[in-house]
Amino acid sequence: MATSTHCCLVCSVPIRETHLGINACRACALFFKRTRRTRRAYTCRRGTGKCIFRKHEPFACKKCRYERCIAIGMESSGEITVEESLLDRLKEEYELSYKRRIDAERRLAEIHNLPRANTVEELYQTTAAFYYDTYPVWLRELIVLLTCVIPEFEDFEDDMKLTVLKNLLGKFYALNTFYRTSRSYLKTGKCISTALSSFDIDNSDQWISEKEVTTRKEQQKNGDGYRSSLQAHASDFLALMYKMLRTDDITDREYYALIAITLCELDTQLPDKIQHLFDSARTTALNELQRYYREQLKLADYSARLGSLMSLTAAIAEIHVISADQHRLYTTLFDVNVL
């Protein structure tokens, strides 16, 4: 049954269709059916039996989520509505995610007192401190999109979740940076680093404020070294970003396919059962992308276009590596933990 104003009674996300005869999202319905089928027994994370489940939370309580499914009358014998394709679902989730990121970054920009990058649109000049403060926001939204691509991710053990997230967070950020920059670089001349922040692509000094250098000097007597490290990182980052920007423009549909493919390519060894989930989702995304080339773009030969798209994943993986190195340095110097 189509709906337009209802929310999932388990996790509160907006829904357009009912599942298992209840106003529930597809993810919660699948979670309930998997739990029933496997006869999993969960323990409340807080021991109170009163946790509130929200879809974007990294390590939500499965016990309370399952009990909530039962409380609202969910039955595993019901039907799960056949929804749109993976790329359609991902598009919808991404658009909602982008709106949430804007709201969160607007609050952070005010806290950091970021200057406006221009007067035409709401775009702020970023600093390293602001960038790292957005990490929890990016992490929450990565979990939402990853669960859209791999619904079973919610059932992974916490250690496995953490392994996957560490492997994908830098790639997710790099992919978003590339796509938004490619859409606005000719107009702004700036690298769009997050939803609402940017820096001049030819002036990496903007990554670090004088206040941060002063604080660093007072704490470790090495503020200039940190500046040099950040400048080196920015230089490597921008070299790869320039390389990516030289590729042909990609369509929105290709971008959503690239998100799905990127989230399925992990640079770590996974158990066979979990690896199969990622491989299957990657195959689905590729199949839908090729169907898009044939049916909507009317391309008889799309090998070059697909090859160009796949080359972006290699650059994204390189950015992930250099970003991980800088991330480790930042967390060590400033004694913080952003993941």
Side-chain angles (χ1 to χ4, degrees):
M1 178 186 299
T3 66
S4 58
T5 60
H6 293 101
C7 291
C8 174
L9 295 177
V10 180
C11 69
S12 302
V13 301
I15 59 172
R16 295 188 302 170
E17 296 169 310
T18 60
H19 300 283
L20 302 183
I22 294 291
N23 282 344
C25 69
R26 182 173 182 270
C28 287
L30 287 173
F31 164 78
F32 180 72
K33 294 199 76 166
R34 287 196 304 272
T35 302
R36 278 290 178 89
R37 184 180 67 252
T38 59
R39 298 183 180 181
R40 291 283 297 274
Y42 302 117
T43 301
C44 177
R45 295 183 67 89
R46 297 180 179 177
T48 64
K50 297 180 180 179
C51 302
I52 298 176
F53 175 78
R54 291 291 182 267
K55 188 175 182 180
H56 63 273
E57 293 176 350
F59 305 107
C61 179
K62 297 176 184 177
K63 171 70 173 177
C64 291
R65 185 187 191 187
Y66 180 64
E67 293 299 329
R68 179 62 179 165
C69 290
I70 295 175
I72 65 175
M74 195 177 287
E75 293 289 343
S76 59
S77 59
E79 294 184 357
I80 295 180
T81 305
V82 177
E83 292 188 343
E84 62 268 67
S85 71
L86 168 60
L87 299 188
D88 287 334
R89 294 201 312 271
L90 193 54
K91 173 181 182 294
E92 183 177 347
E93 288 287 5
Y94 183 85
E95 290 174 349
L96 292 171
S97 168
Y98 184 68
K99 292 177 182 178
R100 289 192 295 267
R101 276 186 281 149
I102 285 179
D103 291 340
E105 288 187 24
R106 186 176 288 127
R107 293 191 292 270
L108 286 173
E110 183 176 353
I111 292 172
H112 285 264
N113 195 28
L114 296 186
R116 292 287 285 264
N118 60 48
T119 59
V120 178
E121 58 184 320
E122 186 179 12
L123 198 62
Y124 300 92
Q125 181 176 303
T126 193
T127 66
F130 171 82
Y131 162 69
Y132 282 110
D133 275 357
T134 65
Y135 254 57
V137 179
W138 284 91
L139 178 61
R140 287 194 299 269
E141 299 309 327
L142 170 60
I143 290 168
V144 171
L145 297 182
L146 184 56
T147 304
C148 176
V149 176
I150 312 284
E152 295 83 358
F153 175 75
E154 296 177 319
D155 297 332
F156 290 4
E157 297 296 331
D158 287 353
D159 287 348
M160 181 56 64
K161 283 184 178 180
L162 193 59
T163 295
V164 171
L165 293 172
K166 283 184 175 180
N167 199 271
L168 293 178
L169 186 57
K171 296 177 183 179
F172 180 50
Y173 168 75
L175 182 55
N176 277 268
T177 298
F178 155 71
Y179 185 66
R180 294 212 60 224
T181 301
S182 69
R183 286 293 189 268
S184 64
Y185 178 64
L186 290 179
K187 180 175 65 175
T188 66
K190 296 180 182 296
C191 180
I192 311 300
S193 52
T194 66
L196 285 181
S197 71
S198 68
F199 63 93
D200 189 328
I201 208 163
D202 294 316
N203 184 9
S204 59
D205 275 353
Q206 293 178 350
W207 276 57
I208 182 167
S209 67
E210 290 301 324
K211 180 180 179 181
E212 288 171 299
V213 174
T214 301
T215 301
R216 182 71 199 116
K217 284 181 177 178
E218 291 174 351
Q219 289 178 341
Q220 300 290 341
K221 309 298 183 185
N222 192 28
D224 291 336
Y226 175 59
R227 178 191 286 276
S228 298
S229 170
L230 197 57
Q231 288 172 333
H233 165 66
S235 177
D236 292 341
F237 180 94
L238 293 175
L240 288 167
M241 191 57 60
Y242 269 126
K243 178 181 177 181
M244 295 172 69
L245 291 173
R246 287 197 296 268
T247 61
D248 294 334
D249 288 342
I250 66 174
T251 66
D252 289 346
R253 190 72 169 181
E254 287 177 307
Y255 176 56
Y256 297 126
L258 194 55
I259 291 176
I261 293 167
T262 299
L263 296 187
C264 291
E265 295 186 343
L266 279 73
D267 306 318
T268 188
Q269 188 71 32
L270 298 174
D272 290 345
K273 185 177 180 180
I274 292 179
Q275 184 63 56
H276 174 72
L277 296 174
F278 284 91
D279 291 344
S280 178
R282 185 180 188 276
T283 298
T284 297
L286 281 171
N287 288 340
E288 292 186 14
L289 177 61
Q290 293 176 58
R291 187 162 60 247
Y292 164 71
Y293 285 149
R294 293 192 303 268
E295 298 177 2
Q296 296 189 40
L297 297 189
K298 306 298 182 183
L299 297 177
D301 182 3
Y302 47 80
S303 58
R305 187 159 188 147
L306 184 59
S308 178
L309 201 66
M310 293 301 99
S311 69
L312 291 173
T313 63
I316 289 168
E318 289 185 69
I319 290 178
H320 168 71
V321 171
I322 64 172
S323 296
D325 290 341
Q326 183 62 34
H327 168 267
R328 283 191 290 270
L329 176 63
Y330 182 88
T331 55
T332 300
L333 292 179
F334 291 94
D335 192 27
V336 295
N337 182 19
V338 293
L339 181 57

